[in-house]
Structures are given as C-alpha cells and as structure tokens.
Amino acid sequence: MYDQNFWNERYARDDYLYGTGPNSFLVEHSDFLTGPVLSLSEGEGRNAVFLAVRGLKVHGVDISEVGLTKAQALAKLKGVEIQTEVADLSNFEPRNNFYGSVISISAHLPSAVRNNLYPLIERCLKQDGVLLLEAYSERQLSRNTGGPKDIDMLMTVDKLKREFPNLEPILIQELEREVSEGEGHAGLASVVHS
Ligand SMILES: C[S@@+](CC[C@H](N)C(=O)[O-])C[C@H]1O[C@@H](n2cnc3c(N)ncnc32)[C@H](O)[C@@H]1O
C-alpha cells in the first residue's frame, strides 16, 4: 500500500507535505550528531538540509524520486549540498562502519523490512555512532494526526530495544507531543524517541 507510487503521488504538489522546517526532536538533539549522517526515508529534504546547514555531510535515501528532487531543490535554495539516493530500504545496503550518525524520522517500514535493515544500520555506524529516531507509536493508530494505518509499521519502546539489540540507549521513551509539520503531520501524536 505505502509503495513508491503512493509516495510519488503524495509528494507531487508544489508545497512541501511535511513543511520545510526540520523535525523538532532532531533539532533538540542535533548536537549529538556527527557526520557523515545517513538519513533513512529522507523524503522532501527538510531534515537533511537542516543538518547540511549545520555543516554535516548528509546522505539521504528514499524510495521517492519526486521527494528527493524536492529535497535537492530545497538544498539549492538554502545554499547547501546534500547527497540523495533513490533506493528501496528493503534492499538497501549501507556501507559498514562509515556513518557517524543515522537519523530515522517518521521512516515507518514493515517489520519484514526492518528485520533485514536494522542489523545493517547497527553495522553501518562507526564506534560511538548515534542513531536518532522518532516514529509514531502503536498508540497513534486511533488518531488521525499522521502516520501509517498499519500497526506493524508503528513502533513501541520494546520493539526498538528488540530490533536494535546492540545499541545502548542514551534516551528511549514513548510520549505524546504536538506535531506541526506541514499538512502531513499535524496535531497531538503518540511517538517514540530514541
Ligand atoms: C512520513 S514520510 C517521512 C519523510 C521524512 N523523513 C520527513 O520526516 O519529512 C515517509 C517516507 O518514507 C519513504 N519510504 C517509504 N517506504 C520506503 C522504502 N521501502 N524505502 C525507502 N523509503 C521509503 C517515503 O517515500 C517517505 O518519504
């Protein structure tokens, strides 16, 4: 259901579905991040561009070429460079021991994809590398403020602990927060942070 066509159609509009400002959890914790940064499901570029403006090298991967074309346009507008790659995370192989950080902001994926990808994410981080993740939690299913309508794609703290067994949490929690990210994410939401 949430395939390449779905996302290309969602992004085929003049404005930015999730706005052009960065995710606020990312902003709050960006001092923890070092480059190069791998951004999973970067979409229209708001987070990659924010990090590039802060001087970090960013590699944004997404299945939607429409989203990533908008990401490059946003980077140009802000006078920065970002590397983008159209790829399906179900068969994406990040370079081992290469990234200082990985960010995953609303990068919701089916468990079958996560089970293959997340061990590779652990391995692609350099020693002391950081994963920063915000995802809608399973509690979000009953709300209409954003996120997939498929419980398998939604997260919990337990899923995070189980799926990243080799990462040591600096912070890991579920909470409710007001999200204001364009038309796509708007209103009170249940999220997990790590
Ligand atoms: C909710 S959007 C979030 C976009 C961006 N991270 C942000 O916060 O603005 C989810 C993104 O996941 C991407 N996506 C979905 N399935 C994917 C897959 N299998 N491989 C790569 N990207 C995927 C979509 O194209 C979309 O850009």
Side-chain angles (χ1 to χ4, degrees):
M1 177 189 174
Y2 298 108
D3 60 6
Q4 189 178 41
N5 285 340
F6 171 87
W7 285 106
N8 278 338
E9 281 168 22
R10 294 268 287 166
Y11 289 143
R13 49 193 282 159
D14 289 337
D15 65 344
Y16 281 67
L17 178 61
Y18 302 108
T20 54
N23 169 267
S24 61
F25 178 64
L26 173 65
V27 175
E28 282 159 27
H29 296 90
S30 53
D31 284 345
F32 282 100
L33 305 183
T34 58
V37 181
L38 173 63
S39 174
L40 302 176
S41 298
E42 173 52 44
E44 300 162 297
R46 64 196 182 102
N47 298 315
V49 167
F50 165 74
L51 294 174
V53 168
R54 289 179 60 93
L56 291 167
K57 273 199 183 323
V58 190
H59 177 195
V61 176
D62 200 284
I63 202 168
S64 169
E65 72 273 17
V66 177
L68 291 181
T69 299
K70 291 169 85 176
Q72 286 294 352
L74 186 62
K76 194 170 173 195
L77 188 72
K78 301 280 182 184
V80 293
E81 287 192 5
I82 57 172
Q83 183 194 348
T84 51
E85 180 180 349
V86 179
D88 184 343
L89 289 170
S90 62
N91 52 34
F92 176 68
E93 293 193 14
R95 195 164 147 191
N96 268 355
N97 192 28
F98 180 72
Y99 295 98
S101 317
V102 175
I103 66 166
S104 174
I105 305 294
S106 294
H108 297 278
L109 296 163
S111 56
V113 176
R114 299 198 307 270
N115 290 343
N116 185 55
L117 178 69
Y118 286 0
L120 304 179
I121 294 305
E122 290 190 333
R123 285 205 287 277
C124 84
L125 284 167
K126 290 188 281 199
Q127 192 170 9
D128 298 327
V130 170
L131 167 70
L132 182 146
L133 178 148
E134 180 179 84
Y136 286 115
S137 80
E138 290 187 356
R139 287 195 176 89
Q140 181 68 5
L141 201 57
S142 56
R143 292 205 167 95
N144 282 317
T145 53
K149 294 292 169 209
D150 176 354
I151 200 160
D152 179 59
M153 297 172 79
L154 295 166
M155 294 306 283
T156 63
V157 165
D158 279 350
K159 282 183 179 175
L160 278 176
K161 286 182 180 163
R162 210 170 44 240
E163 295 180 14
F164 290 107
N166 299 304
L167 298 186
E168 189 185 327
I170 302 171
L171 171 147
I172 187 161
Q173 61 184 13
E174 176 168 350
L175 71 158
E176 290 191 339
R177 77 170 186 94
E178 271 301 323
V179 182
S180 175
E181 301 179 329
E183 200 181 284
H185 295 155
L188 188 66
S190 298
V191 297
V192 291
H193 281 162
S194 74

